Each structure stands twice: as structure tokens, then as C-alpha cells.
Amino acid sequence: MQSGAIGADGVGRGLATIRGRLGALLLGTALPLLFGATAIGAWYWWNEGAAVGARAVAQAEAAVKGVDAEIESRRLILEAFAAGRGEMDAADLAGVDAAARQVARSVGAEIGVLDRGLGLLIDTAQPFGTPLGSTPAVAAGLWAVETGRARVSGGGPVGSAPVAPPTQPMLMVPVLREGRTTSVLSITLSPERLAAAAGTGPAVLFDSRWRPIATIAGGVADLPDWTVLAAAPRGTAQIGTSSLGDRVRFTVSNLAEAPDWRLVTWRRADFATSLAGRLLPWVALCLGLTVAVALLLRARAGRALSEPVLALQRHARTRADAAAGDAPAPPLPNLGPIREFAALGAALAAADTLAAATERRLRGLAEAGAIVLWRADPAGGWIEAAGWAGLTGQTAPAFRGDGWLNMLHPDDRAPTLAEWGRSLVARNAIGVEFRLRTAVDSADWRWVRATGVPIPDEAGQLIEWVGAIHDVADARGAGTARQVNDAQVRQTVAELRAVYDTVPVGLSLVDSALRFVNVNARFAAISGAPPESHIGRAPHEVMPEGLARPLEDAQRRVFATGRPELDVTCSGPAPGSALHIRHWLASCHPVKDANGKVTGVSAVMQDVTERVRAEQSRELLVTELNHRVKNTLATVQSLAAQSLRGQRGAQGGLGREFAGRLQALMRAHDLLADQGWQEVDLARVVRTGLAPSIEAGRAIRFGGSGRIQVTAGQSQSIILALHELATNAALHGALSQPGGEVEVAWSLGEDGIATLDWRESGGPAVAPPAAERRGFGMRLLERGLAHDLGPGATVRLHFPESGVTAEMRFRAGTAAAQPVEIAQPVAQPS
């Protein structure tokens, strides 16, 4: 300290001597010019500086309002979504996912739904059903859960920053039910939208760790170092030097919606350029002459001063870089022959020696396993850690930010992160114990205790955290650490077990030998045995065969392929005195280790008994209905045969026609019942309609192009129409004599219109029927068929001399609008 004071005094005396000599030379010539220029410049600077500062503050306020409005709109969207959905029921994740995706598409952002433990239930960036991990915004999620208030996470990879930037920023909004956080909603914040909301700039939006989130018309290099920005007062215009060496006027403002974020607006503050454009030419001339005289007079003295100062500047930067990387301090450069600088060099060398000795003592103490000194930013990200490299082997910058967590035991990371997050949110003293990987042996773990306290500034604003890591590997310390860790583990396991046992589905886990490792209460209720009796036993040893066999087969397939098996049907008797057969759907998923090897299979069993019974009841009802309809048609046919028995002439023909039509209707009904009254392929419909003629060996050819599906109503109408055409051809047309034949062809046009053609050839000459001879068959084809085939359908009958032709055009799969009345022939009394 004494040598440092001597060096500082020597530099002061040397600079005072140089200033005195330069002042004596310049006093007689430059003083009048400098006095006038200084007065005018001071007046201009005072007025112009106040105006520029006011404009800078107004610009910052407008930009802050824009960014706050953008974040507030996203928060209100999530709150509206939570209010509209009510409870985020895990049993209806598909409905919640569909609603979340609809909102995500409308706002152009990804939405996530998290449970209270920050486990991702829904992520609109992933397909529904994809296994999801934890959210990257852990600290913001913990804040939302603990405080019940919305919070933003860190920023995206834009430019350089004090620490490595995380993923895209997110807004975490808690869902409150009776004052308690039940789940958390997340939405991504687009840096482009935040930049657009801030206006035309220039501006830079930083997160709590001074990492850039969005830049507008500039970059981080146009601003002073983040340490200068962090120390600047909020809401007032300041002057500083950017990383590029330019002087800028900047304003640092906090956001209302994201209090930990800062918005920095800036403008260049080049006073010389601004003054030259506004002052009178003679003022510029006077300043130029003054500067020229001053430069000439101080050339030699300036050269003598600049070289040592530049050397000291380079030494300071090199020393700062070495300290940031835990490297040894560089040696002091040669400061030249000037006595004052030589004294300053000696003082600095003595200070370096003292600092190196102190650092060696600290590092020796830390590397001996006794203590590590660490410092973190307000958000908890590590900045410095003296002795950490010697203890763990992890050097800067790997441990900075949250990188130090990588050296913790995997079992201790979650409890440590949770305790760390709670302390950061509450701003209480940190105290947590965990195991660290040592630098000597990567397989060796050492119990340590990390403690830390928040450091506020004079205004109460948190500026950093400082703390230490103590070695507690002795017997007493290790026992205490184990007790604390065991308590944390027991609490975590209890919470997971509560959720595991209360979900409304059966859950189980088997090892590679297909033996149960764990089951929940619902799964035990399915098999009818206590949960503890399942452990170490195979499914077929404790479950009914109808459940165990398909479950074990699915589990073996998962082990063989590494892929999940979904919707495995299982049936078996339910536990109890009465025999009740119940049905389940099982889904088996692989459980993999860190190397991707399948070490177990988890199974989820859902009771679907009521759904299966409903489907069976529906099938039984349809079967009974089909049976009754067929019985009704058979009864009608029998009654018609009995009523028309003994009739002659036209009445006998009427009986045959009526019976034939009933049989065609019954064939149509059988086809549709077999198809479940769904759409039928047109080829099957044609084959069914012409079945009697084909079985009788009639010369009928049919075929077509395109797969045409027709509705139940269209199928029934086409079968009746083909029956009428075939009956007419057998009585009067091509099928009434040898050599005659019928061709039935169909096709599907590009416009979706199906065409079915009937062509007769080789029969007797045909003449169009007279109007009075158009009976029921003609009316069925021309009126009823066209209506039943659907809107826009047409049926055209032609009677060329070579044979009857019929063309049916309709849109496949279209039902008729409403039934149409077809005039029935009136039976004449005998």
C-alpha cells in the first residue's frame, strides 16, 4: 500500500510539471481563443445536452411501454385460456392440447402446459403424445409456482453476453385455484415481436443476466460494457463509451411486466460533430488554430506520456482476461525512463506480488478441499469461483452461469436446483448440501455444503450473491449431509408416490425379466392383489390369464424393438365374489438408461369396460333389427303370395313382379346389413342386383374403372333398378332369346360424378313404349331412382332398335334430399 501511494504521488507530480510547462507556453497565445470558444461551447452544450437528454428519456419511456404492452398481451392470452379451460384435467389432455394448439396458431407462438412440478404435460411445438421432458425455464417456473405471479425467463442467442445465452425467452403464467398454483402455462416470446414493439430504436433488450434478447437498429457493441449499464441509474440519460470506442448517450429502464429485464436505448453523443454543424465558422477556426498550437507544443511531452499509458492499458486488459480465465497474472511491462512512471511501475509490481501471494493462499486453501469462494449475478448465475478448478477440474467459462451444476451427482441436481431456486426467489440465505465430482478421480464424489447471501446496493437493489463451498466429507459432516439429502429424497418420493397412487389408471414397471418393480394402487385393484405382492413376480403369477398374456406379449415386443406398444386389449374377471368380466386397454412404453438401452417397460392400463359393453349392445341391437326387418320382408312376401294365389292373367304377373321386387329388396338389405349400413363398393352392389340372372346363366357382362363407394340409400335404389332392367330384359329384351347379352359398365369422372350404363344387344327389335304402357318399372327408373341417387342425379332411358340402354349419372356417396312418391299400379278386380 505504501509503494502504491508513492507511485501515485510520483505520477501526479510528473503530470503537474508537464501541465505547468504546457500552460506557460500556451498562455500567451491560446488563452483568449480558448476562453471564447469555451464560453460558446459551454452555453451550447448546456442547452443542447438538456434537450437531447429529454428526448432520450422520452424515447426510452415509449419503447418500454411498447415492450410491456407486448408481454402483457401474451400474459392476458394465457390468463384468458386458463379461465376458459378451468381445471387443467390430466384425464382430458387431448382436449386441453387441442385448445392450446388453437390458441397457439391464432397468436403465432408455442404454448406449453406444465404441472406443479414443472413437468411438461403439453407442448404445442411437439405432436400430441410425444414424451416430454422438463421446461428449460426452470427458474421462471419456480417463481411462478412459489409466488403465484407471472415471470419471464432468459433470452435467446443474440450477440455476445457475459454468459452463454439460453433458449428463446418464455413467459410463465401460474394457474391459480383457491389461491394455490395448480399448474403453469408457458408461451414463447418472439425477439422479433419484442423488437418491433420497442419502436424504431436504436435499443437493446437485456434479461436479468445482461444477455441480449432483442436488438433494434444496432447491437451490444454500440453500448458500454454491461457493468457500466448495471451501475447506471434507471430512467435518466447517461453518457458512456461503447465497446467500439464511440461516445453514446444511453438510458437504462426497467420493464413493468418483466422487472428483471432492462431496456437500453441509445444515441451517439458526438459533441464535436454536433457543435461544428451549429456554431459559427469563426468559432471552428479558432478551435482549429488552438488545437494545432497545442498539438505542436505538447508533441514531445505527449509522446513521452502516451507510450507508458498505452502499455499500462494493455497490461490492465491482459490482467483482466487472465483473472477471468483463472490464468496466472502477466508480468508488468517496461514503463520507460520517466521517474514518475518508474515509481508507478514499482508500486504496481509490489501490489501484484502481494495479490499473487494472497491468491496462492486462497487457492491452496481451496484446493486442499477446505473452501471455494464463489460470486453470482442477481439471477444466481455464477461469475467467479476461486478454487473450483482445483476441487473439480472444471475451469472457466464452463462453470459460469448454471454450468457448475454439471459437476453435481445426478441424484442431487434436482433437490439442489429446487432449494437454490427457492432461495433466489425469496432472496434468503442459501444453504444446501450435495455431492461433487472431484478432479482426482471422476468416479469419486465428495460431500460439500454451499452457502451464500444476497448483496444489495445502497438503494436496496440486489446486485450480486457471494458465498463459499465447504468440505463436509468427514464422518459427522457426511452423516448430516446424508440425513438432509435423505429427507429431501423422501419428500420427493412421497410427492411422486401420492401422484402415482391417485391417478385414475393402472401404472406398473417391470424389469428385463418381466418382473414387477413397482405398481400403483389402481393397478393392484385391477389384478386383485395387494401392491406389495406384485414386487418381484411376473404378471402371469398375480394376474388373470386374459390380462397377463397380452400384457407380457406386449412387454416382450417393447424389449425386442425398443418402441412402445399402444392399445393392447385385455379382458379378464374383476376381483370379487361375483364373476364380472371387465376390459382394459394397455399401453407399454420403454424405459431407457443414459446409453439408450431399454432397462424396463412401463405399462398404463385404462378400464374401457363400459365402452366395450356399449359397442356390444349396439352390435346386438343392429343384428336384432336386421333379423326383424328380414322377418318382416319374408312375412310381407308370404302374405302377398297367399293373397295373390289363384289369380290369373295380369294378376298372376303382378304377383311374380311383386315377389321379385321383394326378393331384390331383401338382397339389398342383406348386403347393407353385412356392410354395417356403411358405404358399399359399386361392384358388389351390381353383383347383388344381378345375382338371380347371373345364377341362371344369363349372358351378362359387367365391370368398370375407379373405386366407387355408394351410400346405403343409393345401393338399395341401384339394386331395385337393376332388378327391373334384368326382369324386363328377360321378358322382352336381349335376355329373352339366345344370342342376346347385357353389358353393365361404370366409371368415375375427375369431377367426382359416377356413371353406370346398361346396354342390351342381340335381342329382338325394340320400340319405345307408348305413354299408356309406362308401368311401375318405368316410373321407378325415371322418377324414384333419380331422386334416390341424390341431388343432381339423372337417369336416361333410350330405346334404340338394337336394344334398351340406360344411363345413370350421380355423385357417389350423396344421400337423397327427401323421399319421393312413386305411383303404384292398381290391381284390377278379377
Side-chain angles (χ1 to χ4, degrees):
M1 295 298 293
Q2 184 178 3
S3 60
I6 294 173
D9 293 341
V11 172
R13 287 193 298 272
L15 292 177
T17 302
I18 295 173
R19 290 193 189 97
R21 293 174 181 176
L22 291 177
L25 293 174
L26 297 176
L27 183 61
T29 57
L31 186 59
L33 296 176
L34 288 175
F35 179 80
T38 301
I40 295 175
W43 174 82
Y44 176 82
W45 174 262
W46 176 263
N47 290 276
E48 186 67 12
V52 171
R55 288 196 297 269
V57 172
Q59 174 196 356
E61 293 175 352
V64 166
K65 290 181 180 179
V67 176
D68 275 332
E70 175 63 20
I71 299 175
E72 183 183 21
S73 66
R74 291 295 190 255
R75 176 175 57 79
L76 294 177
I77 287 172
L78 291 186
E79 291 176 353
F81 173 71
R85 285 299 306 177
E87 190 73 21
M88 300 297 172
D89 189 5
D92 189 25
L93 284 182
V96 178
D97 179 82
R101 292 181 186 275
Q102 184 177 3
V103 176
R105 285 192 298 270
S106 63
V107 301
E110 300 299 337
I111 293 178
V113 179
L114 301 87
D115 58 17
R116 181 175 173 84
L118 300 185
L120 270 172
L121 303 177
I122 290 172
D123 185 359
T124 59
Q126 301 292 333
F128 180 68
T130 302
L132 302 174
S134 61
T135 177
V138 175
L142 288 173
W143 173 278
V145 171
E146 294 290 338
T147 65
R149 299 194 299 271
R151 189 176 180 90
V152 294
S153 67
V158 182
S160 60
V163 294
T167 57
Q168 187 176 23
M170 303 175 68
L171 175 63
M172 313 294 290
V173 178
V175 179
L176 302 177
R177 296 292 181 270
E178 298 180 356
R180 180 178 180 269
T181 302
T182 60
S183 56
V184 179
L185 301 178
S186 68
I187 187 171
T188 57
L189 299 176
S190 170
E192 291 77 13
R193 292 181 62 94
L194 294 174
T200 58
V204 179
L205 179 63
F206 292 93
D207 68 358
S208 59
R209 302 183 186 178
W210 290 101
R211 296 174 295 190
I213 298 175
T215 59
I216 306 97
V220 179
D222 297 313
L223 294 173
D225 186 72
W226 70 274
T227 55
V228 177
L229 300 178
R234 302 299 186 258
T236 60
Q238 303 293 319
I239 300 294
T241 303
S242 70
S243 300
L244 301 177
D246 299 326
R247 288 181 58 79
V248 295
R249 186 185 301 273
F250 64 93
T251 304
V252 182
S253 304
N254 288 336
L255 301 178
E257 288 293 325
D260 291 339
W261 286 8
R262 289 92 170 178
L263 182 67
V264 182
T265 57
W266 57 274
R267 295 285 183 184
R268 292 189 61 182
D270 194 345
F271 173 74
T273 302
S274 176
L275 186 62
R278 297 175 181 268
L279 293 181
L280 298 175
W282 65 268
V283 176
L285 179 60
C286 292
L287 288 176
L289 293 174
T290 303
V291 171
V293 173
L295 289 176
L296 289 175
L297 294 176
R298 63 177 294 273
R300 294 184 61 185
R303 187 180 303 110
L305 288 174
S306 61
E307 292 179 357
V309 170
L310 292 176
L312 284 175
Q313 185 179 18
R314 289 191 297 270
H315 174 72
R317 291 178 178 175
T318 305
R319 184 178 177 83
D321 294 338
D326 281 347
L332 191 68
N334 185 11
L335 300 181
I338 299 179
R339 184 180 59 185
E340 289 80 2
F341 281 109
L344 177 60
L348 290 176
D352 282 347
T353 302
L354 181 60
T358 302
E359 185 175 356
R360 284 194 299 271
R361 286 193 296 270
L362 290 176
R363 289 184 179 273
L365 183 61
E367 293 174 0
I371 190 171
V372 172
L373 303 179
W374 58 268
R375 187 167 64 92
D377 58 26
W382 275 20
I383 301 173
E384 296 177 359
W388 179 263
L391 180 62
T392 66
Q394 186 187 35
T395 60
F399 68 77
R400 292 200 175 102
D402 296 333
W404 61 276
L405 291 170
N406 296 328
M407 305 306 296
L408 271 65
H409 193 283
D411 295 341
D412 299 340
R413 291 175 187 170
T416 301
L417 186 60
E419 183 64 27
W420 196 275
R422 283 192 288 268
S423 298
L424 293 178
V425 171
R427 295 188 176 180
N428 293 330
I430 296 173
V432 60
E433 295 185 0
F434 47 82
R435 286 166 287 182
L436 277 178
R437 181 185 290 113
T438 62
V440 178
D441 186 358
S442 60
D444 187 21
W445 300 93
R446 175 177 293 184
W447 278 100
V448 297
R449 177 174 178 79
T451 58
V453 293
I455 303 299
D457 57 11
E458 296 179 355
Q461 184 74 18
L462 180 63
I463 58 175
E464 64 178 358
W465 293 77
V466 295
I469 293 180
H470 304 270
D471 188 354
V472 293
D474 56 86
R476 180 177 180 181
T480 304
R482 282 194 296 271
Q483 292 176 2
V484 174
N485 186 67
D486 290 345
Q488 295 174 347
V489 171
R490 285 195 298 271
Q491 178 64 25
T492 304
V493 170
E495 294 175 357
L496 293 176
R497 172 57 67 180
V499 176
Y500 193 73
D501 285 336
T502 55
V503 292
V505 294
L507 302 176
S508 67
L509 176 65
V510 297
D511 57 16
S512 57
L514 297 187
R515 297 190 179 277
F516 286 113
V517 178
N518 205 346
V519 298
N520 71 343
R522 183 59 61 91
F523 191 92
I526 293 175
S527 61
E532 58 273 9
S533 65
H534 291 69
I535 308 304
R537 303 174 68 183
H540 69 269
E541 296 177 348
V542 291
M543 302 177 70
E545 182 180 1
L547 277 69
R549 183 182 298 275
L551 184 60
E552 288 184 347
D553 292 343
Q555 291 169 341
R556 291 190 183 96
R557 289 194 296 271
V558 173
F559 274 111
T561 63
R563 295 190 298 270
E565 290 285 331
L566 306 178
D567 297 336
V568 179
T569 58
C570 306
S571 300
S577 57
L579 181 61
H580 294 288
I581 300 298
R582 301 195 69 82
H583 307 274
W584 290 270
L585 274 183
S587 297
C588 299
H589 299 267
V591 177
K592 301 180 180 180
D593 59 12
N595 298 322
K597 180 182 177 182
V598 179
T599 59
V601 175
S602 65
V604 180
M605 298 192 69
Q606 182 181 5
D607 193 336
V608 293
T609 303
E610 299 303 325
R611 186 173 69 187
V612 172
R613 290 176 179 173
E615 293 176 354
Q616 293 175 347
S617 300
R618 180 178 60 82
E619 293 177 359
L620 180 62
L621 179 61
V622 171
T623 302
E624 180 65 20
L625 180 61
N626 291 333
H627 179 68
R628 293 192 180 186
V629 170
K630 291 179 64 177
N631 287 343
T632 302
L633 291 175
T635 302
V636 172
Q637 185 177 12
S638 177
L639 291 175
Q642 294 292 332
S643 301
L644 298 175
R645 179 176 297 176
Q647 299 293 330
R648 296 183 179 85
Q651 297 298 332
L654 175 62
R656 287 193 299 274
E657 292 176 0
F658 183 65
R661 288 164 180 156
L662 280 180
Q663 291 175 357
L665 190 61
M666 292 177 67
R667 291 197 304 275
H669 181 270
D670 290 340
L671 173 64
L672 296 175
D674 180 67
Q675 198 69 17
W677 295 90
Q678 302 296 321
E679 292 186 349
V680 189
D681 189 75
L682 183 58
R684 293 189 62 188
V685 175
V686 173
R687 188 180 294 108
T688 302
L690 299 177
S693 299
I694 296 173
E695 293 172 357
R698 305 287 188 180
I700 299 178
R701 295 183 292 109
F702 58 88
S705 61
R707 183 173 178 83
I708 304 174
Q709 300 288 317
V710 294
T711 64
Q714 291 174 334
S715 302
Q716 182 172 288
S717 300
I718 292 173
I719 291 174
L720 291 176
L722 293 176
H723 168 75
E724 295 295 332
L725 291 171
T727 302
N728 181 74
L731 295 177
H732 311 291
L735 301 181
S736 65
Q737 65 182 25
E741 65 175 6
V742 173
E743 180 183 3
V744 181
W746 60 85
S747 62
L748 182 64
E750 294 182 357
D751 55 356
I753 301 299
T755 302
L756 179 63
D757 293 324
W758 170 282
R759 292 185 178 86
E760 300 181 17
S761 61
V766 176
E772 63 273 8
R773 295 189 60 189
R774 290 178 176 267
F776 173 78
M778 294 286 291
R779 290 191 294 273
L780 174 66
L781 292 171
E782 292 179 337
R783 295 180 57 192
L785 179 59
H787 180 274
D788 291 341
L789 289 178
T794 59
V795 178
R796 294 186 176 88
L797 297 175
H798 302 283
F799 300 93
E801 187 175 353
S802 59
V804 176
T805 64
E807 181 188 55
M808 311 172 199
R809 290 176 55 82
F810 58 95
R811 185 172 296 278
T814 303
Q818 59 184 6
V820 66
E821 293 291 338
I822 300 177
Q824 303 291 337
V826 180
Q828 300 294 330
S830 58

